[in-house]
């Protein structure tokens, strides 16, 4: 049981380590889900938005972290 607890703590720590990154990815997923379910956008287009959006969010987070480290 300790192993499962340790794994859960690690996953939670990774998720909450950068709240802006996690929030941006969740927002992107919610937007794509809304587009595909509510507006009837093709799922392939929604997948393309996810494929393009997730790396862009990651690059933005990396640049933000680099600027923060450069200042300190």
């Amino acid at each position: 049981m300790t192993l499962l607890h340790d794994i859960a703590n690690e996953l939670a720590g990774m998720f909450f380590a950068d709240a802006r990154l996690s929030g941006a990815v969740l927002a992107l997923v919610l937007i794509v889900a809304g587009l595909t379910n509510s507006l009837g956008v093709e799922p392939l287009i929604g997948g393309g938005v996810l494929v393009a959006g997730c790396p862009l969010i990651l690059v933005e987070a990396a640049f933000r972290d680099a600027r923060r480290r450069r200042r300190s």
Side-chain angles (χ1 to χ4, degrees), residues 19-58:
R20 288 178 68 181
L21 175 65
S22 301
V25 171
L26 285 175
L28 178 65
V29 169
L30 289 174
I31 289 168
V32 170
L35 288 174
T36 56
N37 289 334
S38 299
L39 299 179
V41 174
E42 291 292 323
L44 189 59
I45 294 173
V49 172
L50 287 175
V51 166
C54 285
L56 289 175
I57 291 170
L58 185 60

